[in-house]
Amino acid sequence: MSLSYGRDLFMTPGPSIVPDRVLNAMHRAAPNIYEGDLVETTDRILDNLRKVARTTGDPTIYISNGHGVWEAALHNVLQPGDKVLCLATGIFGHGWANVAATMGIEVELIDFGTSGSFDPEKVAEVLRADTGQIKAVLATHTDTSSSVTNDIAALRAAIDETGHHALLMVDCIASLGCEPFEMDAWGVDVMVAGCQKGLMVPPGVAFTFHNKKAAEVSESTQKLSPYWDWIPRTDPDHMYMRFNGTPPTHHLFGLEESLKMLVDEEGIENVWARHAKQAQAVWAAVDTWASAGAIRCNVHNIADRSLAVTTIISDTVNLTPLHSWCQKTAGLTLGVGIGFGDYESHQIFRIGHMGHMNTVMLLGALATIEAGLSALQIPHGEGAIAAAAKVLSS
Ligand SMILES: *Cc1c(COP(=O)(O)O)cnc(C)c1O
């Protein structure tokens, strides 16, 4: 019997749930794309993007997904033959490194595994031994495959301590609008993000952010792609230059509304606090289930856990049936596993707890997973939902 009659719930780590307010803001007639409202809308969006990223630097909006802005960021400050140091704590760290390598950039990769954050001291060691070849350090804030979150401020401090001049470039595609991030205070030179995770907009636009130091590097970097070049987009003579062509009109309306919700109404620090509380509720449930030994959080150390996504792994159980049970029988879509290290995809699933989500949705999802664990006789500790409820009530 299926009990999934009702509204389905998506708990994937991107795309995340789109609020009705955002959908409604997008539901309107096409605007004039050359002048008027859309120009002001774009200015408001850029201002609020700065507030989300905590920077006075320049955001650039591309019609793209996250993979596109990985490329955009690299294209603006690096050239074929340049060298970068990539830090990986999951599949997405490797993904950005692969994009760089394909663009002819020399990549030195430090693989820190998938169960904890990177070690800034190791990065410092490599930079100290470098004779000026390394032009940038590429880091992932939250790796969405492993749900490891990295301490970007500590990384900056380690780089500074070596006196090395490399740019610090950070992938915040999963974390922006969910987890504390301070672009200026943490000395991040280039940051990339997308609209479909913490920012709650359907996939379609993505962002680079860059500071003065990166702008100077960009001025002297030869650009092979006019589309990715952020210079004309940052300081355009005409509206069409901001987007190198037709703007993503309805995405802009959606984004304006979501940023209004996050920045103008809730306040970004409250957004972070909400994600922290909801993440703690997820961990309380999963850590309780884990006492029976079949499943557990991939990341053991609390400080290394993401506030936006939790990766759950099993050494003994195939979790694909649980994922399908939740989807087909109960109407809950969870994030699929992305295999890493010794773990195959079927030994992993992920709970996305980013963006537009309230207590009903979160407890509903956790209780549904528990029902699935029972239905499939996957051993799990008792009291997980009570533990999550307790976190949410305090
Ligand atoms: C989702 C994600 C990406 C890829 O974004 P796409 O929009 O799927 O191209 C890259 N990095 C991280 C950390 C992500 O979470």
Side-chain angles (χ1 to χ4, degrees), residues 246-268:
T246 306
T249 48
H250 290 71
H251 272 79
L252 295 177
F253 296 133
L255 190 56
E256 182 186 30
E257 188 69 15
S258 76
L259 290 169
K260 191 168 156 197
M261 291 166 72
L262 296 174
V263 177
D264 301 337
E265 295 173 15
E266 188 172 3
I268 199 65

Side-chain angles (χ1 to χ4, degrees), residues 6 8 21 30-31 35 37 39 67 71 93 104 124 154 173 178 185 213 233 263 268 286 294 299 325 373 389:
D8 286 353
R21 274 180 63 179
E35 57 183 32
D37 281 0
V39 178
H67 282 70
E71 196 170 317
I173 297 172
C178 304
K213 181 176 170 187
R233 291 170 176 259
V263 177
I268 199 65
V286 181
V299 181
W325 188 93
L373 291 168

Side-chain angles (χ1 to χ4, degrees), residues 51-54 175-182 266-277 307:
K51 287 179 187 157
V52 170
R54 313 274 262 198
S175 55
L176 193 74
C178 304
E179 318 203 40
F181 178 78
E182 304 274 358
E266 188 172 3
I268 199 65
E269 289 177 15
N270 294 326
V271 171
W272 298 339
R274 166 165 56 79
H275 280 84
K277 176 68 88 181
L307 305 184

